[in-house]
Amino acid sequence: MPSILTPDLGLLFWMFLAFMTVFLLLWKYGFPVILQMVEKRQNYIDESLQKAHEANEKLMAVQQECDKMMQSTREKQAALLKEAKATHDAIVNQARQKAADEAAIIIADAKAQIEAERQNALRSIRGTVAELSVQISEKILRQKLESDAAQQQYIQRLLDDVAVK
Amino acid sequence: MNRLSLFIVSTVVALFSFLPQTAVASESDEPGIDVKEIVLGHMSDAYSWHIVTWNGHHVSIPLPVIVKGEHSGWHVFMSSRLDHGHSHEGFFIDETQNGKIYERLDDGTIVRPLDLSITKDVLQIWIVVGLMLWLFIGAARWYRRHDVTRQAPGGMVGLIEMFVMMIYDDLIRPSVGERKARFFAPYLLCAFFFIFITNLLGLIPIFPGGANVTGNITITFFLAMFTMLAVNIFGNKEYWKEIFWPEVPTWLKAPIPIMPVIEFFGVFTKPFALMVRLFANIMAGHAIILSITCVIFITCQIGVAVGASISIVSFVMMIFMNALEFLVAFIQAYVFTMLSAVFIGLAQPEHHAHKA
């Protein structure tokens, strides 16, 4: 039988020694350390993924809230704009009304003044006309009438007729 | 790119595998080549590490011989003292008895002494042990010195982690079961990497590789024994009950215990299968590569033309076989570990779900 088929005591002895050496050393210092550390890292990665997932969910919630806030803000903005426009219109209308009123008062005043002025003018014209008439009549009547009083009376009567006309 | 590099690697491997066998060629200038002798010689354990034979001179690394004589106690000397059939202190290498060391006593009787020599295989085993300690304790040290939550290893440590976790996650955990995986992982990982690294070094034709360690029945016997002990020592009550009182009709176990006997045989056939499987696969791989190499020298003796043409075929075959053996190196280590893990897992049965 070839030697590879016949168990050899010396080889078995050394194999036992060598394998036990490597087995015990790696049992103590080798494989458990590697397995433990890889497991630790695996747990860390799982945990991190979980955390990332949670953070993502939170972010989504925040995003939604943000959107909601934006929406309500827009609505408020629209309402405010509408209100502002109404106020604006009211103010303008009021101002217009006030201006119209004021203008009416001014016009009325002006009319009254004009009327007064006219009366004044009429009155002064009347006086002037009377004086002129007297002077003219005097000049005319000086020649014809002796009596001043009769003359004055007569002219006054004529003048009244004219004024009534 | 990958295929190219694989081709280059396998070519280099094949080219290297020429070296020691070229030596064989010059050795056998005498008529006829004893293929069986060459193949078995290269696969067998030896007292010195043969590297090359140049012009009839053997270039080899002498290794220490440690023997305990029948009456003379322990002897330690280098194997070079026994070269060329020389005898040292009554010890000599008997080529007719597989090249083992024998002692010639004063009265002329020849006995086999207690032989604990550091042979080629023993040295190869220690090289593998050194390599494993360096690789794995080095990797473990990396983990101790770094914060694993901050960085993952790269380079060599990353490669080791990949291998370790592949075996642990894909093989040990499903086979042994989550509960006990951690406990058995060191042995199973140790067995896997021991076999894998030994197989790989066995494919390198020159020192520090080339010894046919896992193709030696002693080594596979030891590994199978270790698995058998792990299975049976840590087997629980359920496991032993299934062996001696399995769940079969009563007439199968009493009064003639047919099933218990069969089950009890299983305790020994399982590790036996492990032992033979690994041994036969690796031995066959080495034998085929060596035989194909021998074809070159046989055909060269017939004629130059025949020799040259067959050599090319043989060379291509060798590249193919080396690539195949590279695969086998991994597969056999994987299979051994997987079967060990499965046997260990079977010895830890939980109360079956279907019983409840």
Side-chain angles (χ1 to χ4, degrees):
Chain A
M1 271 218 293
S3 68
I4 46 169
L5 262 175
T6 46
D8 184 78
L9 188 68
L11 188 56
L12 191 65
F13 166 78
W14 285 110
M15 175 65 189
F16 175 79
L17 205 66
F19 193 82
M20 289 316 275
T21 306
V22 75
F23 171 57
L24 291 177
L25 281 175
L26 289 185
W27 191 4
K28 192 104 180 66
Y29 304 108
F31 294 124
V33 177
I34 297 176
L35 293 179
Q36 197 183 333
M37 290 300 183
V38 170
E39 194 183 20
K40 191 174 158 195
R41 194 178 64 214
Q42 189 63 45
N43 288 342
Y44 179 76
I45 291 169
D46 287 349
E47 211 171 281
S48 300
L49 278 175
Q50 184 65 30
K51 272 182 189 159
H53 190 69
E54 278 166 17
N56 208 25
E57 268 176 5
K58 264 182 202 163
L59 189 70
M60 290 291 277
V62 168
Q63 191 88 39
Q64 267 179 355
E65 202 169 320
C66 196
D67 282 353
K68 221 181 275 172
M69 273 167 83
M70 281 295 278
Q71 186 67 27
S72 79
T73 311
R74 274 209 197 92
E75 276 166 13
K76 260 183 205 162
Q77 188 194 26
L80 274 174
L81 278 174
K82 212 170 166 187
E83 204 174 315
K85 193 157 188 297
T87 316
H88 168 259
D89 286 354
I91 289 169
V92 166
N93 279 340
Q94 211 173 343
R96 198 172 283 155
Q97 187 64 41
K98 208 174 173 188
D101 289 354
E102 213 119 298
I105 289 167
I106 289 167
I107 288 166
D109 273 4
K111 270 184 182 162
Q113 215 167 338
I114 288 166
E115 186 60 30
E117 290 291 325
R118 201 171 65 102
Q119 292 295 335
N120 275 351
L122 271 178
R123 214 172 289 132
S124 97
I125 286 168
R126 210 175 186 178
T128 313
V129 167
E131 224 168 284
L132 284 174
S133 301
V134 170
Q135 280 172 7
I136 292 164
S137 304
E138 213 174 32
K139 276 177 183 164
I140 295 167
L141 288 175
R142 204 166 280 157
Q143 299 156 354
K144 293 174 185 174
L145 293 169
E146 284 87 30
S147 152
D148 228 7
Q151 292 228 1
Q152 192 71 28
Q153 198 178 5
Y154 180 69
I155 288 163
Q156 204 66 42
R157 207 184 56 203
L158 285 178
L159 209 56
D160 273 343
D161 284 351
V162 173
V164 168
K165 279 177 191 169
Chain B
M1 189 62 210
N2 269 338
R3 244 180 241 173
L4 183 68
S5 51
L6 183 70
F7 176 75
I8 291 169
V9 167
S10 42
T11 311
V12 169
V13 167
L15 277 174
F16 268 119
S17 57
F18 260 119
L19 286 176
Q21 278 94 30
T22 327
V24 177
S26 56
E27 194 176 15
S28 36
D29 279 344
E30 304 93 53
I33 293 176
D34 189 351
V35 177
K36 187 186 164 206
E37 188 57 40
I38 291 168
V39 171
L40 281 178
H42 274 85
M43 290 200 301
S44 301
D45 200 359
Y47 288 100
S48 62
W49 200 312
H50 181 247
I51 292 176
V52 73
T53 301
W54 195 260
N55 289 336
H57 289 285
H58 292 281
V59 178
S60 53
I61 302 169
L63 299 169
V65 172
I66 304 165
V67 284
K68 185 175 185 286
E70 192 76 4
H71 307 296
S72 51
W74 290 98
H75 296 262
V76 179
F77 52 90
M78 296 309 280
S79 66
S80 50
R81 291 184 187 273
L82 300 177
D83 283 351
H84 313 295
H86 286 301
S87 168
H88 181 76
E89 293 168 357
F91 297 99
F92 65 101
I93 292 175
D94 189 349
E95 292 297 345
T96 57
Q97 300 284 340
N98 291 327
K100 296 285 181 200
I101 287 183
Y102 281 82
E103 184 184 17
R104 187 175 282 112
L105 297 178
D106 294 337
D107 57 6
T109 51
I110 290 171
V111 290
R112 177 98 171 90
L114 180 61
D115 181 1
L116 299 181
S117 305
I118 308 285
T119 57
K120 181 181 172 186
D121 283 2
V122 172
L123 184 61
Q124 177 79 87
I125 289 166
W126 281 109
I127 289 170
V128 171
V129 166
L131 208 58
M132 280 175 75
L133 289 178
W134 176 62
L135 284 176
F136 295 108
I137 292 190
R141 194 189 293 145
W142 186 96
Y143 286 101
R144 280 213 194 87
R145 288 186 182 170
H146 291 76
D147 183 3
V148 284
T149 59
R150 300 219 170 273
Q151 67 185 121
M156 202 62 195
V157 181
L159 181 75
I160 287 167
E161 184 194 304
M162 186 205 82
F163 260 111
V164 169
M165 294 322 288
M166 181 189 75
I167 299 302
Y168 183 68
D169 284 339
D170 297 351
L171 205 150
I172 297 175
R173 263 167 50 185
S175 305
V176 176
E178 292 291 335
R179 234 161 18 94
K180 291 279 188 156
R182 266 296 170 81
F183 179 73
F184 289 106
Y187 164 62
L188 292 168
L189 286 167
C190 227
F192 174 81
F193 286 106
F194 181 83
I195 297 169
F196 184 47
I197 295 173
T198 314
N199 287 350
L200 286 185
L201 285 183
L203 288 179
I204 302 170
I206 50 163
F207 184 84
N212 175 31
V213 175
T214 36
N216 190 311
I217 200 97
T218 312
I219 307 300
T220 59
F221 170 76
F222 173 82
L223 291 169
M225 275 300 284
F226 204 118
T227 296
M228 191 180 117
L229 290 177
V231 167
N232 291 297
I233 288 174
F234 298 105
N236 61 13
K237 235 186 346 188
E238 197 74 11
Y239 165 72
W240 290 108
K241 186 184 162 288
E242 278 179 15
I243 288 177
F244 292 113
W245 200 252
E247 295 221 332
V248 287
T250 315
W251 59 271
L252 277 175
K253 37 193 183 182
I256 310 161
I258 302 171
M259 282 309 285
V261 166
I262 292 171
E263 290 280 353
F264 190 67
F265 260 107
V267 172
F268 300 100
T269 51
K270 282 173 191 166
F272 185 78
L274 269 183
M275 173 178 85
V276 172
R277 186 193 311 274
L278 180 60
F279 161 73
N281 273 289
I282 302 304
M283 193 270 289
H286 279 253
I288 290 171
I289 292 177
L290 287 166
S291 305
I292 293 174
T293 315
C294 285
V295 166
I296 293 176
F297 304 115
I298 294 170
T299 50
C300 279
Q301 279 192 330
I302 298 168
V304 178
V306 181
S309 53
I310 297 291
S311 290
I312 292 164
V313 177
S314 188
F315 182 70
V316 173
M317 282 296 285
M318 271 197 300
I319 293 172
F320 171 73
M321 280 311 296
N322 267 300
L324 188 71
E325 283 306 303
F326 191 66
L327 206 63
V328 169
F330 176 80
I331 291 170
Q332 287 309 317
Y334 195 85
V335 166
F336 186 94
T337 314
M338 188 175 69
L339 288 176
S340 293
V342 167
F343 293 156
I344 287 171
L346 287 176
Q348 320 273 330
E350 318 221 343
H351 281 282
H352 293 303
H354 65 260
K355 264 196 229 167

